[in-house]
């Protein structure tokens, strides 16, 4: 105690001895190391929690946007497994025949949501992003064709996060632990969000379904189509998905 008092008090000559300075620095270093060991896990846990929260918000936002956009559609065609190589030819598929019906009602138009492998311009990282595509009338055997596109969310919304979205037809689901066959038209959405570019460390896993309000069971086979193009992708990685749907025009 006397030694510490002597350390913390000024000497008569107004300074400290060299040995006192060395001991003080050593004690301060030990204190800083102890604080670092104690604080670092807390900061890491806080960062992980923040990442998980952001991943949950991203997953919910992606799912909610798709649900809100397409659930009132009259006709829907989903192209999955689309690569850059087969992109120009998918729009001549017979599954798009029903889109010709929009010419009968000028109040409706064809729209498209793309789940596309894009570059995050902030970090120059590749990841899946949700995009809105402008659709034009097709030429020749192509019923429609894609024009320009815009990202639904800003790149900063994906900062440090790497989503993976799959869209399938909902055929079976569980209710109270019992598997039930889906009889009404619906999409099954699965959204997994990772916190690394290799997409190996999952931060959030979520799923849900879109129940169509304007497609009934009698037209489910014609007004709701799923076309898997992965067989013609030639082994390409990071395949895209396009959801074509009919929506009322915005005036």
């Amino acid at each position: 105690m006397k030694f510490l008092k002597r350390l913390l008090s000024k000497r008569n000559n107004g300074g400290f001895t060299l040995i006192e300075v060395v001991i003080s620095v050593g004690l301060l270093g030990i204190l800083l190391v102890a604080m670092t060991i104690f604080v670092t896990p807390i900061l890491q846990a806080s960062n992980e929690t923040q990442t998980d929260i952001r991943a949950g918000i991203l997953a919910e936002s992606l799912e909610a946007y798709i649900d809100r956009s397409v659930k009132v559609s009259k006709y829907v065609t989903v192209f999955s497994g689309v690569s850059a190589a087969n992109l120009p030819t998918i729009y001549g598929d017979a599954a798009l025949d029903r889109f010709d019906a929009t010419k009968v009602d000028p109040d409706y138009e064809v729209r498209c949501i793309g789940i596309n492998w894009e570059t995050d311009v902030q970090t120059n990282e590749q990841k899946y992003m949700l995009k809105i595509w402008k659709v034009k009338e097709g030429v020749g055997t192509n019923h429609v064709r894609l024009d320009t596109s815009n990202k639904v969310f800003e790149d900063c919304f994906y900062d440090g996060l790497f989503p993976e979205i799959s869209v399938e037809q909902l055929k079976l689901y569980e209710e109270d632990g019992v598997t039930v066959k889906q009889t009404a038209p619906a999409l099954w959405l699965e959204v997994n969000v990772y916190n690394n570019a290799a997409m190996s460390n999952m931060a959030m896993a979520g799923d849900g379904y879109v129940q169509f309000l304007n497609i009934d069971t009698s037209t489910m086979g014609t007004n709701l189509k799923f076309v898997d193009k992965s067989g013609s992708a030639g082994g390409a990685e990071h395949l895209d998905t396009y959801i074509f749907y009919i929506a009322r025009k915005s005036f």
Side-chain angles (χ1 to χ4, degrees):
M1 182 62 73
K2 291 181 179 180
F3 174 73
L4 291 176
K5 286 182 178 180
R6 189 161 61 88
L7 266 178
L8 299 174
S9 63
K10 288 189 175 181
R11 300 173 61 87
N12 292 334
N13 58 10
F16 296 96
T17 65
L18 179 60
I19 188 65
E20 288 173 340
V21 172
V22 171
I23 293 174
S24 299
V25 171
L27 291 174
L28 181 61
I30 293 172
L31 179 61
L32 290 176
V33 170
M35 289 181 62
T36 301
I37 294 174
F38 177 73
V39 172
T40 298
I42 297 176
L43 293 177
Q44 288 178 342
S46 176
N47 289 336
E48 291 175 358
T49 301
Q50 186 180 34
T51 299
D52 291 344
I53 292 174
R54 290 183 56 246
I57 294 173
L58 176 59
E60 290 178 3
S61 299
L62 295 171
E63 184 179 329
Y65 184 87
I66 296 174
D67 176 83
R68 185 174 65 252
S69 298
V70 306
K71 67 181 180 181
V72 295
S73 302
K74 291 185 176 181
Y75 313 102
V76 178
T77 297
V78 179
F79 288 98
S80 61
V82 180
S83 68
N86 60 30
L87 179 61
T89 62
I90 67 172
Y91 312 117
D93 198 292
L96 287 174
D97 284 343
R98 296 297 296 177
F99 287 156
D100 288 339
T102 59
K103 298 175 183 178
V104 179
D105 191 342
D107 292 335
Y108 285 81
E109 63 183 357
V110 182
R111 296 182 184 176
C112 179
I113 295 175
I115 302 167
N116 303 117
W117 186 251
E118 293 286 327
T119 300
D120 186 331
V121 296
Q122 291 195 136
T123 61
N124 202 34
E125 295 171 321
Q126 294 289 111
K127 60 184 67 175
Y128 282 107
M129 294 184 174
L130 207 62
K131 300 184 71 176
I132 306 171
W133 286 87
K134 184 177 180 180
V135 181
K136 287 187 174 183
E137 186 175 347
V139 178
T141 58
N142 291 343
H143 299 284
V144 294
R145 56 192 173 95
L146 294 181
D147 189 20
T148 56
S149 64
N150 292 300
K151 294 175 182 177
V152 175
F153 303 110
E154 296 291 337
D155 287 11
C156 60
F157 196 46
Y158 298 87
D159 189 23
L161 300 174
F162 302 82
E164 185 178 47
I165 310 170
S166 64
V167 183
E168 301 176 3
Q169 184 174 2
L170 180 61
K171 296 180 179 179
L172 300 174
Y173 68 98
E174 284 193 3
E175 187 175 273
D176 298 328
V178 178
T179 301
V180 180
K181 182 178 179 180
Q182 175 69 19
T183 56
L187 294 182
W188 177 257
L189 302 177
E190 185 173 349
V191 184
N192 298 324
V193 181
Y194 301 84
N195 59 18
N196 63 333
M199 301 177 75
S200 58
N201 190 16
M202 189 180 296
M204 174 61 63
D207 51 47
Y209 67 92
V210 179
Q211 182 73 58
F212 292 108
L213 304 179
N214 294 327
I215 301 177
D216 56 38
T217 55
S218 63
T219 60
M220 185 164 57
T222 55
N223 292 3
L224 177 60
K225 294 273 189 176
F226 288 81
V227 182
D228 183 4
K229 305 296 290 187
S230 56
S232 57
E237 291 186 278
H238 309 302
L239 301 176
D240 294 340
T241 299
Y242 293 89
I243 305 173
F244 288 90
Y245 62 101
I246 300 298
R248 184 176 290 275
K249 290 182 179 179
S250 299
F251 296 101

